[in-house]
């Protein structure tokens, strides 16, 4: 299972400072709720864009629960689950910024993210409706994005809260965000 945790640094600093090594285990296992049972289980590697056109290789901390045997990984909130481009650049692009050091090199891919966001919300907005019950039902990706920003502030915060509370991202649902479901 993947948990999303806020780090007070960007991807470059996380990688340069080796912060994956300092990640603490969650207090309780998200699968079985046992406390103080998560033990370090190495890392997996994933890519994320850096400040410009660079791609960084990140170490993601994993833990295994000694009670139920299931695993948990800790994804920094600056990264988008299963997407290469970091959340700040996605946020800027979705807000209409079509240029900038971390946007321009990735415009084609960011356009595909926007299409994915639009198709995901139009197909399954009933699933995602609950977090937005307090806003009028948006009718377009642009209005949905405005609702996301108004409700959560930015892409990183929206992703962290939607994954934590509703087991979904802004681009799809993934088995890795549900407790007691094997990750592919
Ligand atoms: Zn457990």
């Amino acid at each position: 299972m993947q948990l999303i945790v806020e780090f007070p640094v960007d991807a470059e600093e996380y990688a340069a400072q080796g912060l994956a090594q300092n990640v603490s285990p969650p207090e309780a296992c998200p699968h079985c709720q046992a406390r103080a049972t998560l033990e370090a289980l190495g890392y997996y590697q994933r890519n994320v864009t850096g400040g410009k056109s660079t791609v960084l290789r990140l170490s993601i901390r994993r833990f295994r629960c000694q009670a139920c045997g299931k695993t948990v990984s800790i994804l920094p909130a600056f990264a988008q689950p299963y997407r290469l481009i970091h959340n700040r650049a996605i946020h800027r692009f979705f807000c209409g910024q079509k240029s900038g050091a971390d946007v321009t090199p990735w415009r084609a891919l960011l356009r595909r993210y926007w299409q994915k966001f639009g198709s995901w919300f139009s197909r399954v907005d009933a699933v995602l409706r609950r977090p937005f019950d307090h806003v009028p039902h948006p009718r377009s990706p642009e209005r949905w994005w405005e609702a996301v920003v108004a409700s959560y502030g930015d892409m990183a915060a929206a992703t962290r809260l939607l994954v934590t509370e509703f087991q979904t991202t802004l681009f799809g649902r993934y088995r890795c965000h549900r407790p007691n479901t094997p990750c592919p």
Side-chain angles (χ1 to χ4, degrees):
M1 183 180 176
Q2 184 181 70
L3 298 181
I4 299 182
V5 172
E6 193 112 30
F7 284 78
V9 296
D10 61 16
E12 274 98 348
E13 290 170 78
Y14 175 92
Q17 296 179 25
L19 293 184
Q21 294 171 38
N22 302 337
V23 175
S24 304
E27 267 184 41
C29 171
H31 301 286
C32 72
Q33 313 307 322
R35 301 185 78 78
T37 56
L38 288 159
E39 293 196 349
L41 178 72
Y43 307 88
Y44 74 86
Q45 307 291 314
R46 65 153 283 173
N47 292 340
V48 68
T49 55
K52 296 178 182 169
S53 58
T54 53
V55 173
L56 305 167
R57 192 90 172 139
L58 297 186
S59 294
I60 306 297
R61 195 58 154 145
R62 299 177 75 219
F63 299 95
R64 186 191 296 282
C65 175
Q66 301 305 300
C68 70
K70 297 190 173 105
T71 62
V72 183
S73 61
I74 307 295
L75 183 71
F78 55 73
Q80 179 64 218
Y82 306 105
R83 296 277 180 284
L84 174 67
I85 300 173
H86 66 69
N87 279 328
R88 200 180 52 227
I90 304 173
H91 179 90
R92 285 188 185 136
F93 185 83
F94 280 21
C95 287
Q97 291 186 35
K98 306 303 186 202
S99 61
D102 55 357
V103 168
T104 303
W106 305 104
R107 269 201 300 242
L109 187 52
L110 286 163
R111 272 195 289 273
R112 291 206 288 279
Y113 286 14
W114 178 254
Q115 287 160 4
K116 177 77 179 163
F117 168 74
S119 68
W120 168 241
F121 268 73
S122 62
R123 267 190 299 122
V124 296
D125 59 20
V127 177
L128 287 168
R129 192 74 197 100
R130 273 179 59 205
F132 303 104
D133 273 347
H134 58 293
V135 296
H137 194 164
R139 297 288 177 194
S140 67
E142 288 79 8
R143 298 290 89 75
W144 268 116
W145 177 244
E146 285 173 11
V148 168
V149 173
S151 300
Y152 295 106
D154 63 24
M155 174 61 78
T159 301
R160 184 165 57 79
L161 289 163
L162 287 171
V163 165
T164 303
E165 293 175 22
F166 301 98
Q167 293 79 54
T168 186
T169 74
L170 294 166
F171 301 100
R173 300 191 90 140
Y174 300 96
R175 294 166 69 190
C176 276
H177 294 139
R178 291 179 225 165
N180 296 305
T181 305
C183 292

